[in-house]
Amino acid sequence: MQNVLIVDDEPDIRELLEITLGRMHLKTKSAADLGSARELLLKEDFHLCLTDMRLPDGDGLELVKEIQSNYSHIPVAVITAHGSTETAISALKAGAFDFVSKPVDLLKLRSLVSTALKLSHHPEKVKIINSLLPVNIVGESKVIQTLKAQINKLARSQAPVFISGESGSGKELAAHAIHALGPRKDKEFVAINCGAIPSELMESEFFGHLRGSFTGAEKDKEGLFKAADGGSLFLDEIADLPLHMQVKLLRAIQEKTIRPVGAQTEIPVDVRIISATNKNLSEAVEAGTLRQDLFYRINVIELKVPSLRERKSDIPILTQNILDRLAADHQQESVNISNTAMSKLKHYDFPGNIRELENLLQRAYALAEGNEIDEIDLPINPKPRELPSGEFSLEQHLEEIERKAIQNALEQSRWNKTAAAKKIGMSFRSFRYRIKKLGLDDGKD
């Protein structure tokens, strides 16, 4: 029988939790303070710990950190005061599995406990930082080993994760790995490209709608949140969400409920939020295109996916993996790649990252003569980026690169700012903020 440690100084709360978990056929042990909890942890093995944040002899956050350090195979969920969002986020950052607010919603508590108990309880497995992932994150470089270790750790939490990284670097793959390694792996992983949904359809796509709620709503629609219920929801390019949807998304994340379009009541949903963008979220907040409260809610833990430039030693193994996959798709034998062609790949910067490498190899695979890809089959011209000689300001150097890119976009679009913003993949508001900061604004919109 699985064993749960309950830590709370209020006898009524302890009794409520004991009864609720007992009905779930779980064994419980209770402690009224930190000292008693530490003694129980030394004597017994537990599968889950539920702890209040305010205890007579200390802070529940201390217990979260201690269990993370000494009993990392035990997930910890914290009980917070109603509306204490900052406290909950602090606990998640410290390594808490999840949180539940007072007064305790027993339905949400049961869901949290059930999810937590699905995690592996073998200490030796938890400490394996380079385990084989169920999704194909290829590479042996130091930065990829670090990424895999972080994914392993994040999979054991329900904290919202923000994945940063350049376009094409594999952010969705990392999100899928977090889901596939975690307790939600048997439920759906639903990915949404926030920049690809028309603004007027967003609420219906996210939360669903009832038949007749608007013109064209001929039948009930479930919505993506409900489709991901019990699983994970990946919000790609979250910085592209319009402000009115950011408000609704924030409420759905905080309250764990949604209201379909046309419905009078809210319905509970249990999803883990993983988000990503290739944009700078802090700059989006500063520009007014991203709500600060949403930024704090989704950016509890950040996972940085390295660019291909940062892991060039992985290019040979990535290349072979892609070529083997292409051969399997075409039911043919895999082709080789010449040393000169490989050297050309290694000396190229790949601004489009792995996605660009895949596209390049797909074209080379289709056009190569014989059973080998040669240098001539790769239409790239590697030009190493040169830094200014002598001492220089990196910030000014990057600012100058950005200024030239924006100037080129404006010139190519005949100074149509909307078209220029679209050309370089920025929202109009962010674009307007950047050109004003760089002194390129002519005062007209």
Side-chain angles (χ1 to χ4, degrees):
M1 183 179 286
Q2 291 171 304
N3 197 12
V4 180
L5 174 61
I6 298 168
V7 188
D8 200 299
D9 63 331
E10 296 182 49
D12 290 347
I13 296 290
R14 291 201 303 271
E15 185 179 1
L16 174 66
L17 295 177
E18 286 167 358
I19 293 170
T20 303
L21 299 184
R23 288 174 178 168
M24 296 176 70
H25 307 291
L26 299 170
K27 180 183 173 184
T28 60
K29 282 293 177 69
S30 295
D33 52 43
L34 277 176
S36 302
R38 289 173 179 136
E39 289 179 14
L40 286 169
L41 282 164
L42 286 171
K43 293 175 183 176
E44 297 190 35
D45 189 22
F46 293 95
H47 295 78
L48 171 66
C49 174
L50 294 172
T51 180
D52 192 14
M53 286 297 283
R54 293 185 178 181
L55 297 167
D57 55 347
D59 193 328
L61 208 57
E62 294 177 45
L63 189 59
V64 172
K65 292 174 181 177
E66 286 179 29
I67 291 177
Q68 271 289 297
S69 298
N70 305 319
Y71 312 94
S72 58
H73 59 289
I74 304 176
V76 188
V78 297
I79 304 168
T80 66
H82 178 69
S84 300
T85 304
E86 288 184 11
T87 304
I89 288 175
S90 296
L92 292 171
K93 286 188 174 183
F97 170 80
D98 207 343
F99 70 94
V100 61
S101 300
K102 292 181 179 178
V104 177
D105 183 320
L106 295 184
L107 187 65
K108 291 180 180 177
L109 175 68
R110 290 191 192 99
S111 175
L112 181 155
V113 170
S114 297
T115 303
L117 293 176
K118 291 177 184 175
L119 287 169
S120 169
H121 189 63
H122 301 287
E124 67 279 4
K125 289 186 178 179
V126 175
K127 292 177 182 176
I128 295 173
I129 63 171
N130 193 27
S131 61
L132 293 174
L133 296 173
V135 292
N136 199 16
I137 295 182
V138 176
E140 297 174 355
S141 61
K142 187 175 180 180
V143 289
I144 284 298
Q145 298 297 340
T146 300
L147 180 69
K148 289 180 181 180
Q150 291 171 330
I151 287 171
N152 268 287
K153 187 174 182 180
L154 292 176
R156 295 186 60 82
S157 165
Q158 296 304 289
V161 177
F162 169 67
I163 303 177
S164 62
E166 295 180 8
S167 180
S169 58
K171 297 188 291 295
E172 184 171 344
L173 197 62
H176 204 289
I178 292 171
H179 169 81
L181 276 177
R184 298 174 177 268
K185 61 185 178 183
D186 295 329
K187 298 292 184 178
E188 292 297 315
F189 174 83
V190 177
I192 310 171
N193 187 329
C194 298
I197 303 173
S199 179
E200 63 275 12
L201 297 179
M202 273 190 175
E203 190 171 355
S204 171
E205 287 293 317
F206 274 64
F207 309 128
H209 63 249
L210 299 186
R211 178 187 176 193
S213 55
F214 55 86
T215 304
E218 298 178 354
K219 59 182 180 180
D220 291 354
K221 180 176 180 177
E222 187 177 58
L224 295 167
F225 259 83
K226 194 62 182 171
D229 196 15
S232 303
L233 189 64
F234 177 55
L235 303 172
D236 198 10
E237 301 305 339
I238 194 167
D240 290 342
L241 277 178
L243 289 171
H244 78 276
M245 272 305 298
Q246 292 181 27
V247 177
K248 295 178 185 294
L249 175 62
L250 179 64
R251 176 170 175 77
I253 294 172
Q254 289 185 163
E255 302 300 325
K256 297 184 178 180
T257 58
I258 58 170
R259 179 179 293 180
V261 178
Q264 298 300 311
T265 56
E266 294 184 330
I267 56 175
V269 287
D270 172 29
V271 298
R272 183 180 190 182
I273 298 294
I274 306 173
S275 56
T277 184
N278 59 0
K279 297 176 182 175
N280 186 309
L281 286 190
S282 298
E283 286 187 1
V285 172
E286 192 176 347
T289 59
L290 181 70
R291 289 178 61 98
Q292 190 172 50
D293 47 7
L294 180 61
F295 168 76
Y296 287 130
R297 202 66 188 81
I298 62 174
N299 194 30
V300 174
I301 299 173
E302 181 175 354
L303 178 70
K304 185 181 184 302
V305 177
S307 67
L308 193 50
R309 292 187 304 281
E310 298 172 85
R311 46 180 297 214
K312 285 195 172 184
S313 61
D314 286 331
I315 288 178
I317 191 172
L318 281 165
T319 297
Q320 193 58 55
N321 181 270
I322 293 166
L323 292 177
D324 289 346
R325 192 163 9 108
L326 287 170
D329 290 344
H330 292 85
Q331 297 182 334
Q332 296 176 355
E333 290 186 8
S334 184
V335 300
N336 299 317
I337 183 163
S338 70
N339 291 334
T340 54
M342 181 59 72
S343 177
K344 192 173 186 178
L345 291 176
K346 286 180 179 178
H347 287 85
Y348 180 55
D349 267 355
F350 284 104
N353 294 292
I354 297 174
R355 188 181 297 132
E356 184 180 3
L357 176 62
E358 288 179 337
N359 292 340
L360 192 66
L361 291 174
Q362 281 179 345
R363 181 184 183 280
Y365 181 88
L367 298 179
E369 294 183 7
N371 201 38
E372 184 175 77
I373 291 174
D374 206 353
E375 184 180 4
I376 196 171
D377 301 313
L378 300 172
I380 54 176
N381 182 25
K383 290 182 178 178
R385 296 177 182 176
E386 295 182 2
L387 296 176
S389 58
E391 293 185 2
F392 72 100
S393 166
L394 177 61
E395 187 175 345
Q396 289 179 2
H397 178 62
L398 295 175
E399 198 172 88
E400 185 58 32
I401 293 172
E402 184 179 14
R403 181 181 284 106
K404 286 180 180 177
I406 289 176
Q407 278 181 324
N408 287 339
L410 285 167
E411 288 169 4
Q412 290 173 22
S413 59
R414 297 183 181 180
W415 292 85
N416 181 316
K417 293 177 185 175
T418 303
K422 187 175 181 182
K423 183 180 285 292
I424 58 176
M426 295 177 71
S427 70
F428 179 71
R429 288 187 67 177
S430 294
F431 185 78
R432 188 167 57 182
Y433 168 78
R434 296 306 299 167
I435 63 174
K436 187 174 182 180
K437 186 174 180 180
L438 294 168
L440 296 171
D441 190 11
D442 60 3
K444 299 177 184 179
D445 288 337

